[in-house]
Amino acid sequence: MYKKYLVLFVLFTFTYQIPKTSAAEDNYLPLNILVDRSNCLPADYNPEVLSEAQIAIEKLIEVAEGNGVKIHINSSFRSFALQKSLHKRKPSVTAPPECSEHQLGTTFDVAWPGNYSHWIGENELVWTWLKDNSHLYGFVISYPYKECLVKGSIKNNNYSPGCGVEYKWEPWHIRFVGKDLASKIYNAGYLDPKSEVLPQHFYIRLNH
């Protein structure tokens, strides 16, 4: 499944530092809010990293490392201004500002340290570990690998959006939704390439 080619994985090559958590935890939206190109966040919604999500990702990294899998955070919370800049540079693969899960303060892009732009090598260990274990810490892989039949041919979202997934397969993009919901989504079989189940099916729309 893994391809030996370079992809746009992260837009940062420096050591990433998690932004400080917000003191106004009560101002966060529910963990199961749907965010996509059709369901965007309010223009003034600009939190930082949710403390519960930060604690969970730190625990996930600790346990993974204890099992020989090193995980580095490349990106987490993105402000409106940062997302706008990234989208302007790569509009086909980056969500518009206000429409990115990264603006929630509960989403992380991760990889093996130093291996930011390859599918191969140690990152395969990271992706496999996340598939098997991320739900135990309250995370889901937002854009899983999917296969579907289109006009008699098997297609997938390995290179581009497809099979019902808004973006191409992003095994590095994990979102904290809490252990209960993450386990529910996992048990529904969303990681099965042939299943039509997606994490987004379990989310609620925001009433602006």
Side-chain angles (χ1 to χ4, degrees), residues 11-194:
L11 299 173
F12 309 105
T13 57
F14 50 83
T15 301
Y16 186 82
Q17 299 294 324
I18 301 178
K20 65 180 181 180
T21 56
S22 172
E25 297 285 303
D26 291 341
N27 293 329
Y28 277 87
L29 292 170
L31 294 175
N32 61 338
I33 283 292
L34 176 64
V35 179
D36 57 23
R37 292 176 186 264
S38 300
N39 297 274
C40 300
L41 296 167
D44 59 351
Y45 188 67
N46 197 42
E48 292 171 343
V49 176
L50 178 68
S51 61
E52 187 179 359
Q54 181 169 338
I55 291 170
I57 192 68
E58 290 175 352
K59 183 63 177 178
L60 181 152
I61 291 172
E62 176 187 349
V63 175
E65 186 166 346
N67 286 274
V69 179
K70 297 180 180 180
I71 296 178
H72 175 80
I73 297 172
N74 295 319
S75 179
S76 60
F77 169 72
R78 296 177 188 165
S79 66
F80 173 89
L82 176 57
Q83 191 66 32
K84 182 178 180 180
S85 174
L86 298 180
H87 179 68
K88 184 176 181 180
R89 291 164 56 189
K90 298 289 184 179
S92 63
V93 296
T94 308
E98 302 175 21
C99 307
S100 169
E101 289 189 336
H102 281 284
Q103 197 174 337
L104 287 169
T106 57
T107 301
F108 303 86
D109 287 348
V110 299
W112 189 278
N115 194 358
Y116 305 139
S117 57
H118 293 78
W119 291 97
I120 60 175
E122 297 95 340
N123 274 340
E124 290 191 38
L125 299 177
V126 176
W127 312 153
T128 299
W129 196 90
L130 290 175
K131 283 179 61 178
D132 294 340
N133 299 282
S134 61
H135 66 286
L136 300 175
Y137 305 92
F139 290 92
V140 295
I141 299 168
S142 292
Y143 311 114
Y145 176 81
K146 292 292 181 179
E147 296 177 349
C148 55
L149 193 64
V150 179
K151 296 182 179 180
S153 299
I154 297 178
K155 304 294 184 180
N156 60 54
N157 65 323
N158 201 9
Y159 300 93
S160 60
C163 298
V165 186
E166 186 174 41
Y167 296 96
K168 69 183 181 68
W169 179 39
E170 295 189 359
W172 55 81
H173 180 110
I174 58 175
R175 172 179 170 177
F176 181 76
V177 296
K179 291 182 180 180
D180 289 344
L181 182 55
S183 294
K184 182 177 181 179
I185 296 172
Y186 177 83
N187 291 330
Y190 87 105
L191 292 173
D192 180 352
K194 294 179 173 56

